[in-house]
Amino acid sequence: MSPQLIPKYIEELALNIANEEAKNAQTASTREGSLALARRLETESETAGFTSVKDYIQSLTTDPKGVEPPEGTTPTSAFWSHGIPNTRAPLNWNSERFLDNRYIAEAWARSQNKRNPGSAQTLETTAGGRRLNEMYLFEDAVRKALGGDEEGYTYAWARECWGNISQTYAEAAEGPVVVFAETAHTRSILYNSELPTLHSNQHVGLDNINFAYPAPQAWPKETRAEVGTNDVRAQVQVDDPSLAHYVDPVAYATQDPVARQAAVAAECASVTAERAERTVEKAGSASSATESKGPEAETPAAAVPKQTEKPTASIPVWQMGFKPTPVKPEATATPTVKSTAPPAPDLGKQAAGTGLG
């Protein structure tokens, strides 16, 4: 099976977005830029009635209104993790030129919305995601200007903020969603937060989680066919044998077909049960919190809206984003970029998967 390619026009748009974002982050990381950003956030938090910038930012990450799409639209939500090597991309956390799938997802969303306004979104294109992104909390200078590690503005805290808003975004998703990644790394927000949330989201569910890219080409064909499906990749992990729900892509193909398929089915059933238990526990906690506030705090349950109809099975779901815009023959660009996972995971926003992903 040949790898699916990213069309040239998507690559070019993604590079433009990535390089512009890199310039903005560089400005925010300067002394002048970081101090100006800190002053702006202090003003915003005071105006909003918060006693600290930290409380203000954390409130933003859990506000569902911040990730709601514009009224009257029902966009397909995109999530992301990892990226692809690209010599024209900005340097990443590991001093490598790497094009995050975030920017490919945003290029997809822009392309979709140009043809059909309000049809696609990423976390960073929502109002809340855009505001959090403009704070550049992963920049050391910005966190130092806000108070530094001594005041709790740590790198881990910044990552937690993105993890929280990524979960809020996943909770708000409806219908089919697209995941721009080959797999979900065990250390990514995509694997630890977004996929479990989407799985248990009654408006999405496992059947509506669609990976934009095929399974890694390095996997044996048997593994790609059986473990590379959307539902299995959304549940198991292929990175860390010391953690639960691990599948060895190479060893898998050498095992008895009936036994290995049964084992994966049992693993997926275990994941589903665990996620269902987490959902029940979360609902119980929310119910207890409501009861503690008294009867006046209770609100009637909202009616479950009808799920968005799934795409036609004969068309790969990822082509919801990469269906080329008709152009004149002489202007047609040849797709050239393959999707691959990075050599090592990033613990910062580059591994978020939104997402954030």
Side-chain angles (χ1 to χ4, degrees), residues 266-287:
E267 203 67 72
C268 289
S270 176
V271 173
T272 297
E274 288 178 11
R275 291 175 177 177
E277 185 177 353
R278 286 173 54 183
T279 301
V280 171
E281 291 177 352
K282 183 177 180 180
S285 299
S287 177

Side-chain angles (χ1 to χ4, degrees), residues 66 92 193 199 237 272:
N92 69 354
S193 179
H199 190 166
Q237 55 98 3
T272 297

Side-chain angles (χ1 to χ4, degrees), residues 68-93:
E68 290 177 354
E71 186 175 354
T73 65
T74 55
T76 297
S77 296
F79 298 80
W80 63 273
S81 184
H82 295 325
I84 59 177
N86 190 297
T87 57
R88 293 189 291 148
L91 292 173
N92 69 354
W93 60 277

Side-chain angles (χ1 to χ4, degrees), residues 20-34:
E20 182 64 27
E21 180 66 14
K23 291 179 182 178
N24 293 338
Q26 186 175 18
T27 298
S29 68
T30 63
R31 175 177 171 77
E32 296 77 11
S34 60

Side-chain angles (χ1 to χ4, degrees), residues 48 72 132-133 177 188 193 226 235 248 261 278 342:
L132 188 63
N133 184 66
V177 301
S188 69
S193 179
E226 298 169 16
Q235 296 181 84
D248 185 327
Q261 291 177 37
R278 286 173 54 183

Side-chain angles (χ1 to χ4, degrees), residues 49 54 124 127 185 240-241 262:
K54 182 180 292 184
E124 290 80 6
H185 198 281
D240 192 338

